[in-house]
Amino acid sequence: KSINRGAVPDGVKVTSNVEYGRGGDRALLLDLFQPQSSNGLVPGLVFIHGGAWKGGDKGMYRYYGGVFARKGFVLASIDYRLSGVAPFPAALEDCKCAVRWMRSHAAELGVDPDRIAVRIQGHRPADTWLCSSGTRPMSLNSKGTAATKESAAP
């Protein structure tokens, strides 16, 4: 059960059920949260819900989608094939597909393709594996804007 399925704040554009790929004959979907206005390219975030690869859904991060979009991020909250539908490592392949989708659509989304981060709830081994596939560590600096590990102040 999710407690984060409320309304998103003003100034945030939400596009639900965007197809980011296919897993066999199944559409892989994400919900996209974007600031309604921005100056230049913004960081992208891909949120991957928890649930031990067997439960949960992209709606779990609706609240955070609104929060981060208000701060100037483009956030994609994704669904992936759960373990009861497709055997491991299908879910990880779906997650990597979502990162590739964001990178390939970066120009139309207004995302800086060199500043895409992944947030995985509760999947530490997957976090390491996905980050080794081309994403960079990112954190928020004191102003609430994105800073890559390389540019973050000590």
Side-chain angles (χ1 to χ4, degrees):
K1 182 180 176 190
S2 173
I3 60 170
N4 297 323
R5 296 180 191 260
V8 296
D10 291 338
V12 174
K13 175 185 173 189
V14 181
T15 309
S16 298
N17 297 319
V18 176
E19 185 172 325
Y20 70 87
R22 298 203 60 85
D25 61 350
R26 179 176 183 242
L28 301 173
L29 304 176
L30 61 82
D31 290 344
L32 193 62
F33 301 84
Q34 299 171 274
Q36 286 187 346
S37 63
S38 63
N39 296 325
L41 298 177
V42 301
L45 298 171
V46 177
F47 271 40
I48 301 168
H49 67 80
W53 303 118
K54 62 183 178 180
D57 65 76
K58 62 185 170 55
M60 295 170 71
Y61 287 115
R62 185 171 180 82
Y63 168 80
Y64 296 106
V67 168
F68 280 97
R70 285 283 307 239
K71 288 190 172 283
F73 293 81
V74 171
L75 184 141
S77 181
I78 71 166
D79 272 343
Y80 51 82
R81 290 173 290 169
L82 301 175
S83 60
V85 173
F88 187 84
L92 290 175
E93 292 166 355
D94 296 350
C95 296
K96 286 179 64 175
C97 182
V99 174
R100 288 191 301 266
W101 178 89
M102 182 173 276
R103 189 168 285 126
S104 70
H105 289 84
E108 68 191 73
L109 297 173
V111 169
D112 180 342
D114 293 323
R115 294 194 304 159
I116 296 174
V118 176
R119 171 64 176 115
I120 304 172
Q121 180 61 40
H123 300 296
R124 294 297 175 239
D127 192 14
T128 302
W129 187 76
L130 277 167
C131 287
S132 70
S133 69
T135 60
R136 286 201 234 164
M138 187 183 298
S139 61
L140 295 178
N141 63 25
S142 61
K143 296 178 184 172
T145 58
T148 61
K149 186 175 182 181
E150 295 82 10
S151 67

